[in-house]
Amino acid sequence: MRYLRSKITSSRKYLQSLVFSLGLVVLTTLMLPFPAIATSLYEIPSVAPGERTWVIDPAKAISPVNEGKIGSELEKLAETTGNEVRLVAIRRLDYGETAQSFTDKLFEQWFPTPEAQANQTLVVLDTLSSGTGIRVGDKAKSLLTDDIAKSVMTQTILYPLREGEKYNQAFLDASDRLVAVLSGAPDPGAPEQLATDVAVESTYKNTEETKSSNATIWVIGFLVAATIIPMVTYYFYVR
C-alpha cells in the first residue's frame, strides 16, 4: 500500500513537471518573432481608371502626411495630363513571387484592357526585401521610357532604402520624378548622391526570410519533442 501511494505521488509530481515544461515551451514559442504574413493580391483594394486613390499602403510604411502630399501631386498630374500613377507598399511577398511579377498581376487585375492600361503607371515596393516593380501603360511609355522606369525602380526608390528604412523619402522621390517626366518636363534623374547602382531585387529568399523560416522549423521541432518525448518516457515509467 505504501509502495502504491509512493508510486501515485511520484506520478503526480512527474505530470506536474511535464505540464510546467510544456507551458514554458509554449510561452517561449509565443515570444519568438515570426515572419510577417505575405500580402495577397486580393487583399489590395480594387482601383479603376479615374479613381482618386493614389497611394495604397497595407505595409504602413508611409506617414499620413506624406501620403496626403504624394496623393495631392499625383491627382494634379492626372487632372492636367490624364496620366495616372499609383504607388503601393506591401509588407511581404509569397515565396517564389517577385515584386515585378506581383506588379504585373496587380496592374492587369486593376486595368484588364489595353484602353484602361494606356495612361497608367504602377509602382510596387515590398518593404521586407526592398524589392521593387514598375509597370507602365503604352501611352505613358512615350514619356516614361523603359530606361527611366528602370532607373526609378532600381535607383530613385532604392537609394533611400540603402541608407536605412526611409520609405517616405523613397516614395516622395519617386513621386516627384514620375510627376516631372509624365508632365513632359525633363527627367530630373536619379539622386545625385548615388555613387553606384543599387542591386536589383532577387527572386530567392534573403537572409532575414531564411532565418525566420529556420526559426519556425526549430520551434515546431521543439514543440513536437517536448510533447512526445515526455509522454513516451511516462508510458515506460508507469509500466
Side-chain angles (χ1 to χ4, degrees):
M1 189 70 177
R2 183 179 300 172
Y3 173 77
L4 180 60
R5 284 199 301 267
S6 175
K7 191 77 171 178
I8 292 173
T9 302
S10 178
S11 297
R12 284 177 178 173
K13 289 181 179 179
Y14 184 82
L15 285 173
Q16 289 173 351
S17 176
L18 173 62
V19 171
F20 179 74
S21 299
L22 287 174
L24 284 178
V25 171
V26 172
L27 181 60
T28 303
T29 301
L30 293 174
M31 294 173 66
L32 285 173
F34 286 91
I37 299 174
T39 302
S40 165
L41 192 68
Y42 302 100
E43 291 179 55
I44 308 296
S46 296
V47 174
E51 205 166 305
R52 301 173 72 176
T53 300
W54 311 109
V55 180
I56 297 177
D57 183 23
K60 306 299 181 185
I62 314 302
S63 71
V65 172
N66 286 321
E67 185 174 330
K69 181 179 179 180
I70 292 170
S72 177
E73 292 301 313
L74 295 181
E75 186 164 334
K76 289 178 185 176
L77 173 70
E79 290 174 351
T80 56
T81 68
N83 291 314
E84 297 181 1
V85 176
R86 290 176 175 86
L87 307 178
V88 178
I90 61 175
R91 59 183 172 267
R92 185 173 180 266
L93 293 163
D94 278 323
Y95 179 77
E97 188 89 84
T98 66
Q100 187 57 55
S101 66
F102 186 94
T103 303
D104 290 334
K105 291 174 185 176
L106 184 60
F107 188 85
E108 290 163 14
Q109 178 175 296
W110 281 353
F111 317 116
T113 66
E115 293 76 19
Q117 296 174 2
N119 294 97
Q120 303 296 330
T121 299
L122 173 62
V123 175
V124 173
L125 168 65
D126 165 35
T127 59
L128 180 63
S129 67
S130 295
T132 56
I134 188 167
R135 178 75 177 266
V136 184
D138 289 340
K139 287 187 178 178
K141 277 187 177 181
S142 62
L143 295 170
L144 184 54
T145 64
D146 290 342
D147 287 343
I148 297 175
K150 182 179 179 181
S151 177
V152 169
M153 183 176 69
T154 61
Q155 297 179 328
T156 303
I157 292 178
L158 292 190
Y159 179 74
L161 302 186
R162 192 175 64 174
E163 298 294 299
E165 295 182 348
K166 298 180 180 179
Y167 302 115
N168 286 277
Q169 190 62 50
F171 268 39
L172 286 167
D173 290 349
S175 173
D176 290 344
R177 189 174 180 186
L178 291 170
V179 167
V181 171
L182 290 170
S183 296
D187 176 21
E192 293 180 1
Q193 307 98 313
L194 191 63
T196 58
D197 290 338
V198 180
V200 182
E201 62 169 316
S202 60
T203 56
Y204 51 83
K205 284 189 177 183
N206 59 26
T207 303
E208 183 176 349
E209 289 178 301
T210 302
K211 286 181 179 178
S212 298
S213 177
N214 290 340
T216 303
I217 294 171
W218 275 105
V219 167
I220 293 172
F222 280 130
L223 281 173
V224 172
T227 303
I228 295 176
I229 294 174
M231 291 177 65
V232 173
T233 305
Y234 178 71
Y235 172 76
F236 285 106
Y237 180 82
V238 296
R239 286 187 64 186

